[in-house]
Amino acid sequence: MSEVPDRGAERGVNRPPGDSGLYLDGVTVRFDGFRALNALSLLVEPGELRAVIGPNGAGKTTMMDVITGKTRPAEGVVRFAGRDLTRMDESAIANLGIGRKFQKPTVFDALSVFENLELALKAPRGPIACLRWVLAGAARDAILATAQRIGLEARVHDKAGLLSHGQRQWLEIGMLLMQDPQLLLVDEPVAGMTDHETAQTAELLAGIAGGARSVVVVEHDLDFVRALGCRVTVLHEGTMLSEGSIDHVQADPRVVDVYLGR
Ligand code: ADP
Ligand code: MG
């Protein structure tokens, strides 16, 4: 029998509800009695990059749905930057600075890279911030800086429809960045990408996290997760199974049993 570590301490459940960062404690989501999340606890510090892995059906997407207000938990605490997210609707949560990238990019094919980024700048979050950009005449600079950050500076005037699959994913990340999110949730970003694009995406996301901005990435590709170089949370049956470095979780017998060993 392997020694079972003190999972309470590991999960951070003894820590007080932080007034910064993302804090989930005892979160349960039921669908017709089935627990998609089962007393899930998670703490992500401001500026932290976190990877979340786990088998299909583990509850990874449901966790993101709870954070963004799409799904209400039956029980538990969900806080970000000192705010109780369970009392806020989806648009209020988005306005708080929580951005989400879905698996399927929602870029506008008929518009250029520049125009897509410009649209994102004008989107609802932060009209004051938006006005400030316009007054300073800096919108163009902000757009070009983001295009450079996502590696599309040479493609700014090309239509999004001409981009590769990976470049479209980056464009959508760029569109989210135009809103200056404080927490970015990214669901399976490298599915279908080439190895080179996958490596570049790891670099991009690692660079986006930092300062006050946290990034949570759900992904199956363990080489990609390793390249992120961050703490990893393993979900299984709606709860946290293991947490730590990629080496730690890959060596954890519980993780090997339910996920890696298959
Ligand atoms: P993952 O993203 O880790 O693959 P999900 O969060 O999508 O897992 O799903 C967790 C479990 O909850 C799955 O068994 C799934 O079938 C179930 N589930 C998710 N959303 C719903 C829903 N709206 N109604 C019923 N069951 C759901
Ligand atoms: Mg999912």
Side-chain angles (χ1 to χ4, degrees):
M1 284 291 283
S2 61
E3 193 178 296
V4 179
D6 173 2
R7 295 188 58 210
E10 201 177 279
R11 286 198 306 231
V13 290
N14 296 324
R15 299 175 71 156
D19 274 342
S20 58
L22 176 68
Y23 179 85
L24 273 64
D25 194 29
V27 174
T28 294
V29 168
R30 290 195 190 87
F31 294 117
D32 300 322
F34 167 77
R35 291 170 187 239
L37 293 181
N38 189 6
L40 174 65
S41 298
L42 178 78
L43 188 69
V44 179
E45 304 284 357
E48 185 181 348
L49 173 64
R50 176 70 60 90
V52 177
I53 64 174
N56 280 328
K60 303 179 298 293
T61 298
T62 303
M63 179 193 77
M64 292 196 170
D65 290 342
V66 163
I67 296 165
T68 56
K70 188 177 172 208
T71 296
R72 294 284 169 205
E75 291 159 38
V77 177
V78 185
R79 293 175 71 84
F80 179 71
R83 303 287 297 272
D84 178 357
L85 302 186
T86 64
R87 293 170 182 274
M88 299 170 71
D89 66 21
E90 284 189 79
S91 64
I93 292 171
N95 282 327
L96 204 57
I98 297 182
R100 177 178 191 176
K101 189 198 168 307
F102 289 92
Q103 279 167 257
K104 226 188 215 169
T106 51
V107 302
F108 297 96
D109 283 349
L111 299 181
S112 69
V113 168
F114 189 96
E115 289 163 337
N116 270 283
L117 293 172
E118 191 176 34
L119 265 184
L121 186 62
K122 289 175 181 160
R125 171 168 143 75
I128 295 168
C130 176
L131 186 64
R132 199 182 62 215
W133 283 119
V134 172
L135 287 177
R140 188 185 159 80
D141 291 349
I143 290 164
L144 294 177
T146 299
Q148 185 167 23
R149 180 162 217 185
I150 59 177
L152 295 180
E153 66 270 37
R155 307 294 304 269
V156 276
H157 299 301
D158 290 343
K159 297 225 185 306
L162 297 174
L163 299 176
S164 73
H165 169 73
Q167 289 169 329
R168 291 159 62 81
Q169 300 283 341
W170 299 336
L171 177 54
E172 197 181 21
I173 291 172
M175 291 170 75
L176 288 162
L177 288 177
M178 294 309 293
Q179 304 257 309
D180 192 24
Q182 296 304 290
L183 172 63
L184 193 59
L185 306 171
V186 188
D187 204 349
E188 302 193 20
V190 302
M193 281 192 186
T194 65
D195 289 352
H196 184 60
E197 286 173 336
T198 297
Q200 285 181 298
T201 304
E203 206 174 303
L204 172 64
L205 292 172
I208 286 170
R213 180 181 295 134
S214 311
V215 178
V216 175
V217 187
V218 164
E219 189 47 68
H220 282 290
D221 181 334
L222 292 179
D223 291 333
F224 168 77
V225 171
R226 180 171 288 280
L228 289 174
C230 66
R231 195 171 173 84
V232 180
T233 298
V234 185
L235 291 196
H236 176 56
E237 295 179 348
T239 199
M240 206 272 285
L241 181 70
S242 184
E243 200 167 84
S245 68
I246 183 75
D247 288 330
H248 171 84
V249 301
Q250 280 191 312
D252 185 332
R254 294 168 301 181
V255 178
V256 173
D257 259 9
V258 307
Y259 185 41
L260 304 174
R262 295 181 186 191

